[in-house]
Amino acid sequence: MLNKLTTMAYGSFGVSSRALIFCRPCYGSIRDLPFSLRTPTIGHCGCVGAIAAPRNLVKPRKEESRDFNGARRSKDKSMPFKKLDANEFGIQRSMIPESTRMVLNKLRKKGFQVYLVGGCVRDLILDRIPKDFDVITSAELTEVRKVFPRCQIVGRRFPICHVYVDDIIIEVSSFSTSARTGKAPNKNFRKPAGCNDRDYIRWKNCLQRDFTVNGLMFDPLENVVYDYIGGVEDIRNSKVRTVSSAKLSFIEDKARILRAIRIAARLGFSLTKEVAVSVKELSSSLLRLDPSRVQMEINYMLAYGSAEASLRLLWRFGLMEILLPIQASYFVSQGFRRRDGRSNMLLSMFRNLDRLVAPDRPCNEFLWIGILALHKALVDQPRDPTVVASYCLAIYSEVSLSEAIEIAKSNSKQHNSNFQELSGHEKDTVDSDSKLSKQVMSLAESIKSAARKMNDRDYLANAMSKYPQAPSSDMVFMSKLMLERVQKMFGSVRRRGNEERGVPSLDRRINYKSLALGDFHETRRVFARIVFDTVYPPT
């Protein structure tokens, strides 16, 4: 047991660069690999995965903006109507999950029109893994329920169907419901010339979308992408643009401010000038957003593989002070400028998280909240790297604290000395097991304390008190119950080992289903791996 963990300490919890190239199921592996570079194979560890198999990508052709009749686009708000061959983007039906294809095929066989819509179409064009696949159909929701008797109609303001395929939920919306519940088309937009009835229905639905890159429809049967609002052009130019006026769009739905940041972070896009200005001007309106909605949007930012970029954009546009004032105070104390390209310990931990998760393999919110709590604890009281290593080894392996300390002390890897949250090696502490043990237990308690502060309205309101020019925010979007769970998960260390659990194999893969569900042991292991690799970067 001791030898195995010693190897883990020396080798860090990171996956080797060789594994990242050849062992795709070890994830961090497949997360950034585009569809076009994936082929089934068997990795060197014996598991089925995918490795790079280059092919020539088919890029969208550059075409002039023309209306449906082929006329050049005028300077008014009429939209160029593009009916594009999906093959030009390299989109293949095999990219659509079997569960989604089953829903599409069943509705099509009943005579209904069916399309994929929104972010999944955008991601397919970009050769990325969609977070989910949304379906829209000409069927009424009640008709969808007749086709899928187990489905449920959810939502009052914007009702949709949840169709259950095994343990997967496919969201299905209806054109007719969208027409009744959505806003009327902006009068500044003219219907594209040459639209037939079906085009007109699709066009009206696209105008109700938040951003142009989300306003695309894909017909898998005809293999056609419909673009009525310039979404493909904005994808080509890497721009996040609202369908209507940015200011009016954000006033209508304040959560779109966060969604703009999320899309830009995930795709590496930039906000248009109008969107950027409106984000800054209306940032304080987020204080009036329902806390559960804020939590959901923050989770989308931090749990799906683009956490570091999201934090950088939240900071750049002045939203971190409102949503995460504790972390904003840290950025200011580090002398971070709005467009600062440097890194710090908080960003490094989230970068390591991003390497392990992806849109189709997210983590539970417990994990990123735990990272925030640990970091806050280290900012309040910097710790010896050996203390942090001992803590990580203890919660990763469930061995006794004394064993974890023995392994950590034998670790010869060099810690990252650039982080102020790590104190220099304290010889009197490191040489004494009893002092190390007390320090580890103290660190665990300080993580609990940091988690409690995230739910303390007064503490949050005063987090930026040293910087009076910053906006004041007492927003609490993390529930007390959730933070209590985080305290229990990361604020406890076993003094005695759990012999029954044993030591997990060093090549053990992450159980992403358990991680997404917030499994206690899986979340602790991934958390420890992230922290250890931040303190002791893999070579």
Side-chain angles (χ1 to χ4, degrees), residues 287 321-325 457 459-463 471-475:
L287 292 169
E321 295 91 313
I322 296 169
L323 302 170
L324 300 167
R457 197 174 296 275
Y459 187 89
L460 292 172
N462 293 314
S472 176
S473 171
D474 61 353
M475 177 186 286

Side-chain angles (χ1 to χ4, degrees), residues 140-338:
E140 297 281 354
L141 295 184
T142 53
E143 293 175 312
V144 175
R145 190 159 56 183
K146 289 179 182 178
V147 179
F148 304 99
R150 289 182 58 239
C151 85
Q152 291 182 327
I153 298 177
V154 299
R156 292 184 178 180
R157 187 180 174 191
F158 300 107
I160 60 173
C161 271
H162 278 177
V163 177
Y164 296 90
V165 182
D166 296 327
D167 59 346
I168 299 171
I169 297 177
I170 308 296
E171 290 190 358
V172 180
S173 58
S174 170
F175 280 117
S176 59
T177 304
S178 300
R180 288 195 298 268
T181 58
K183 62 181 181 179
N186 192 318
K187 293 181 180 180
N188 291 326
F189 292 116
R190 260 196 317 112
K191 181 177 71 172
C195 270
N196 58 30
D197 290 342
R198 288 190 176 186
D199 293 320
Y200 182 63
I201 292 172
R202 288 189 292 256
W203 172 74
K204 283 202 304 181
N205 183 269
C206 290
L207 288 186
Q208 295 171 16
R209 303 283 162 180
D210 47 9
F211 302 98
T212 58
V213 295
N214 289 342
L216 300 166
M217 288 189 187
F218 172 45
D219 183 339
L221 184 67
E222 300 294 333
N223 215 34
V224 168
V225 173
Y226 293 95
D227 178 15
Y228 298 90
I229 53 178
V232 170
E233 183 179 355
D234 283 331
I235 288 174
R236 185 181 296 127
N237 295 324
S238 303
K239 291 291 184 181
V240 177
R241 185 191 313 275
T242 52
V243 173
S244 58
S245 158
K247 190 170 185 178
L248 292 176
S249 181
F250 294 157
I251 290 174
E252 180 184 42
D253 184 354
K254 295 177 280 292
R256 287 175 177 170
I257 295 173
L258 300 179
R259 211 171 301 140
I261 297 294
R262 169 160 54 97
I263 293 171
R266 182 171 173 239
L267 302 180
F269 283 13
S270 59
L271 308 183
T272 64
K273 184 176 181 180
E274 181 194 13
V275 171
V277 169
S278 297
V279 164
K280 291 179 179 179
E281 288 183 351
L282 299 174
S283 60
S284 60
S285 67
L286 294 174
L287 292 169
R288 300 190 294 274
L289 200 57
D290 184 83
S292 62
R293 188 81 182 275
V294 174
Q295 179 183 319
M296 181 182 72
E297 291 294 339
I298 295 295
N299 187 58
Y300 282 147
M301 290 183 191
L302 303 184
Y304 287 78
S306 55
E308 182 192 3
S310 295
L311 290 173
R312 287 185 181 276
L313 287 177
L314 288 175
W315 172 246
R316 175 179 169 182
F317 287 99
L319 303 181
M320 189 179 286
E321 295 91 313
I322 296 169
L323 302 170
L324 300 167
I326 294 174
Q327 287 67 41
S329 175
Y330 166 71
F331 270 61
V332 175
S333 70
Q334 294 278 301
F336 253 60
R337 297 181 179 179
R338 293 298 181 186

Side-chain angles (χ1 to χ4, degrees), residues 66-119:
R66 297 176 181 271
D67 65 24
F68 193 48
N69 288 330
R72 289 182 179 274
R73 183 179 178 182
S74 62
K75 293 183 179 181
D76 65 13
K77 290 273 189 171
S78 62
M79 291 290 103
F81 174 22
K82 295 178 182 177
K83 182 177 177 181
L84 305 170
D85 184 350
N87 289 323
E88 296 185 25
F89 303 105
I91 299 177
Q92 301 173 10
R93 292 185 183 90
S94 60
M95 295 177 176
I96 304 170
E98 185 178 345
S99 55
T100 305
R101 291 203 303 270
M102 187 273 287
V103 172
L104 292 167
N105 291 336
K106 278 197 172 185
L107 289 170
R108 176 79 73 172
K109 286 179 181 178
K110 293 294 182 179
F112 300 114
Q113 302 168 47
V114 283
Y115 307 91
L116 292 177
V117 67

